[in-house]
């Protein structure tokens, strides 16, 4: 086999990268169990980027000649092309992406390839690869988060004048603008984006040159390789650099929180799509039918987003659990870091993308929105505030309005059905202006403090986001 050499007594093949001290090769079962190449091929381009930077630093250190460095660069170009064409012969016997690339390079260019690992370990290599990967993916996810915010703003703008019933405890509470509700998620996603950007800024340091755990014996300039890969800085402790995966954990924590936000929006879309709420109509292209019940239109996309949230939490907990008992520095357990990370990246990116597309096409049923404003005594707080602003202690006002609500419930009428005289029957504090005060639009318009749901405030915030979001 190309990737093995018969260097052990009796000719048993061992690994060509570390086989020197071994007398027998691992079994096929162990090779398969040990390998990470089956799930980390997406790191290839970053591994190659890291090797280019390593070659540059080795040239600066005088370990490689300029010609050798060029040969390495060309060889890596060819390997990247092979990988992109799907023609790279990945081998489980070569365990991981690092040894697959290095072995292929040596196969192609000979000796310079054999020099590339000078002063380098797979421990600093894998830390480098994953940081590069995550840095790029966070950039992509931030763009998707922006697109999702954009879609929510667009949806809010398209229904700018729609007032909906706001809830607490899923009980009717107070009227709010639909756009205000959309903008609540825009704010959440803004903080999610901030967390992801923080994570990216913190991971933006090159671990290359940390070696297996203590650094390198040869002065290979880290300040050449780090900037060559576009890292903003260098890690400052070799043990830390090879042993921690807090950057992946931080990403998954931020991803988990973002998924929680998407899941709450998804839950509302599901609820609002029901016959009972009927507040929103999702485009058919985001729903599916039932194989048995011809009438069904199921909100599968939001349901899947809600469902996938659990996966991302699981990804975080899996790696936290893997890491918690590990003595410094690298331990093979840490190879288990990649599958959860990749899953969290893919899941979050997919959910953001679907949410953005779905919200851009969501339509509010205005008649149902208006109908939902009655029946819940949404103006009760307004009445109490009216009395309080006319000098009545709020606790007393609360009591008075409680009696008004009881009166309405008993007669099956709305607060807006009451006359000024009716109001005054409950308290002499009520004046004639209560008629104009106790309306849904007036209630919404009064919430004009910063962050309130008044149309003027919401219009400002919509305009702010339209200006701010790319
Ligand atoms: N595939 C390994 C991982 O993902 C790379 C580092 C292996 N290092 C080692 N000393 N075996 O963690």
């Amino acid at each position: 086999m190309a990737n093995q050499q018969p260097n052990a007594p009796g000719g048993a093949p061992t690994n060509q990268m570390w086989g020197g001290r071994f007398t027998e090769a691992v079994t096929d079962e162990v090779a398969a169990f040990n390998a990470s190449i089956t799930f980390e091929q997406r790191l290839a381009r970053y591994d190659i980027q890291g090797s280019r930077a390593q070659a540059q630093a080795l040239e600066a250190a005088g370990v490689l000649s300029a010609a050798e460095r060029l040969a390495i660069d060309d060889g890596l170009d060819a390997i990247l092309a092979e990988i992109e064409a799907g023609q790279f012969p990945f081998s489980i016997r070569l365990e991981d992406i690092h040894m697959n690339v290095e072995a292929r390079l040596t196969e192609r260019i000979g000796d310079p390839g054999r020099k590339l690992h000078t002063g380098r370990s797979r421990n600093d290599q894998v830390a480098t690869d994953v940081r590069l990967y995550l840095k790029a993916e966070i950039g992509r996810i931030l763009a998707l988060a922006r697109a999702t915010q954009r879609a929510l703003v667009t949806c809010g703008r398209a229904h700018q004048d729609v007032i909906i019933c706001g809830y607490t405890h899923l009980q009717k509470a107070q009227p709010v603008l639909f756009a205000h509700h959309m903008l609540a998620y825009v704010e959440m996603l803004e903080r999610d984006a901030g967390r992801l950007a923080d994570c990216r800024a913190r991971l933006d340091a090159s671990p290359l040159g940390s070696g297996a755990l203590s650094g390198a014996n040869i002065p290979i300039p880290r300040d050449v390789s780090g900037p060559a890969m576009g890292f903003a800085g260098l890690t400052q402790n070799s043990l830390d650099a090879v042993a921690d995966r807090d950057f992946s954990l931080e990403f998954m924590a931020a991803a988990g929180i973002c998924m929680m936000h998407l899941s709450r929006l998804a839950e509302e879309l599901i609820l609002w799509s029901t016959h009972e709420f009927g507040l929103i109509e999702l485009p058919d292209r985001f729903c599916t039918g039932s194989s048995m019940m011809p009438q069904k239109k199921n909100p599968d996309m939001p349901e899947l987003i809600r469902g996938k949230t659990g996966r991302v939490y699981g990804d975080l907990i899996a790696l936290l659990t893997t890491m918690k008992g590990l003595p410094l520095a690298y331990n093979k357990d840490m190879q288990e870091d990649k599958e959860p990370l990749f899953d969290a990246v893919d899941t979050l990116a997919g959910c953001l993308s679907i949410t953005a597309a779905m919200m851009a096409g969501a339509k509010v049923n205005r008649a149902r929105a208006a109908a939902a404003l009655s029946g819940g005594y949404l103006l009760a707080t307004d009445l109490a505030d009216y009395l309080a602003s006319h000098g009545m202690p709020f606790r007393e006002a609360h009591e008075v309005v409680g009696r008004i609500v009881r009166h309405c419930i008993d007669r099956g009428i709305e607060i807006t059905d009451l006359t000024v005289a009716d109001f005054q029957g409950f308290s002499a504090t009520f004046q004639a202006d209560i008629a104009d005060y106790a309306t849904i639009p007036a209630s919404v318009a009064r919430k004009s403090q910063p962050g309130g749901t008044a149309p003027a405030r919401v219009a400002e915030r919509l305009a702010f986001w339209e200006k701010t979001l790319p």
Side-chain angles (χ1 to χ4, degrees), residues 36 40 95-96 98 121-123 126 245 330 332 334-335 337-338:
S36 52
E40 67 183 13
E95 291 184 35
D96 53 30
H98 325 297
S121 159
R122 283 183 291 152
N123 298 352
V126 68
R245 292 294 180 267
Y330 177 84
K332 186 78 168 203
M334 289 159 65
Q335 180 165 289
D337 64 347
K338 283 167 224 49

Side-chain angles (χ1 to χ4, degrees), residues 43 46-47 49-51 53-54 98 120-135 203 205-211 222 225-226 229 231 235 241-242 244-245 247:
L43 292 179
Y46 305 104
D47 198 72
Q49 196 184 346
S51 284
Q54 165 78 356
H98 325 297
R120 184 175 75 173
S121 159
R122 283 183 291 152
N123 298 352
D124 57 349
Q125 224 180 334
V126 68
T128 301
D129 290 8
V130 175
R131 282 180 191 240
L132 285 172
Y133 162 78
L134 200 47
K135 202 176 145 184
L203 69 71
S206 170
L208 201 59
S210 300
R222 298 187 62 208
S225 56
M229 292 181 281
F231 279 117
T235 57
V242 295
D244 209 349
R245 292 294 180 267
F247 47 90

Side-chain angles (χ1 to χ4, degrees), residues 358-375:
M358 213 162 44
M359 294 319 296
K363 294 258 173 304
V364 172
N365 183 327
R366 289 163 186 265
R368 293 297 300 272
L373 295 173
S374 59

Side-chain angles (χ1 to χ4, degrees), residues 375 377 402-415:
Y377 310 103
R403 285 200 295 276
I404 296 175
V405 170
R406 185 75 254 163
H407 171 88
C408 290
I409 293 172
D410 291 345
R411 284 161 186 74
I413 59 172
E414 297 285 323
I415 284 173

